[in-house]
Amino acid sequence: DTAVSQTPKYLVTQMGNDKSIKCEQNLGHDTMYWYKQDSKKFLKIMFSYNNKELIINETVPNRFSPKSPDKAHLNLHINSLELGDSAVYFCASSLYGEQYFGPGTRLTVT
Amino acid sequence: GNSVTQMEGPVTLSEEAFLTINCTYTATGYPSLFWYVQYPGEGLQLLLKATKADDKGSNKGFEATYRKETTSFHLEKGSVQVSDSAVYFCALSDPGETSGSRLTFGEGTQLTVNP
């Protein structure tokens, strides 16, 4: 009965490759998010979708493109990966402000 | 803009010691305040929250009180256990948004409890 799930949990890839991370929530929430956690554990929001509509788009390189096929899914596609993209990416969902986080995807770019 | 400042870590305590992790915030309006905990290798879990001034959030022996006059939301626990070792994040939600409220996080405080 996983609430917010992400795949894959680990992703190791080379610079220049394109990769995707998937997120699904079974909580019936309307809003989903992507956060990036750097090596110092600092968390920063990247994107937010509400009912498949993009509502928050922070200053993120346009190599990052979120897609929400329905309100239970929010995927993150990253083009032309760079060393600096190495981080843990967390998906989250919320209904009334309280956010529930997935287990994270650790992306390592070599 | 909104910001959250947490006491610098890491914090190392012996079992049964008293814990305080300081958190102060800057926001326009009246944000909701949260403490999240991240155990090693896991995602963030909501520990407790408070939505208005003087509210006290509590869970698993942890407490925090929303102090508007000092713009603070300090986390406390009377007697920590080894299993409390984790990273603790203070956060606020943007009071200007009703849907898709973004969370602004503090830097996180690593807590290690030794037996």
Side-chain angles (χ1 to χ4, degrees), chain A residues 9 31 33 35 37 40-45 48 50 55-56 58 90 94 97-104, chain B residues 34 36 38 41-46 49 87 89 93 97-108 110:
Chain A
K9 189 167 174 62
T31 308
Y33 310 79
Y35 287 87
Q37 185 175 47
K40 296 183 179 177
K41 300 285 190 184
F42 187 70
L43 277 153
K44 194 170 189 315
I45 190 166
S48 174
N50 182 263
I55 54 170
I56 295 174
E58 291 294 286
F90 286 101
S94 73
E98 193 171 307
Q99 295 190 19
Y100 294 82
F101 284 77
Chain B
F34 306 86
Y36 280 84
Q38 184 178 24
E42 297 184 12
L44 279 75
Q45 301 174 26
L46 179 64
K49 68 175 183 179
V87 181
F89 292 92
S93 67
E97 298 179 8
T98 52
S99 65
S101 297
R102 73 185 70 198
L103 285 175
T104 300
F105 285 92
E107 304 89 346
Q110 172 75 56

Side-chain angles (χ1 to χ4, degrees), chain B residues 15-39:
Chain B
E15 211 165 19
E16 299 183 3
F18 185 86
L19 168 71
T20 300
I21 301 177
N22 289 338
C23 171
T24 56
Y25 68 90
T26 302
T28 54
Y30 303 95
S32 293
L33 301 173
F34 306 86
W35 277 100
Y36 280 84
V37 58
Q38 184 178 24
Y39 298 102

Side-chain angles (χ1 to χ4, degrees), chain B residues 48-50 52 54-58 63-67 73:
Chain B
L48 54 84
K49 68 175 183 179
K52 61 184 188 298
D54 300 325
D55 264 3
K56 178 186 279 188
S58 61
E63 293 183 341
T65 301
Y66 190 142
R67 301 281 187 207
F73 192 55

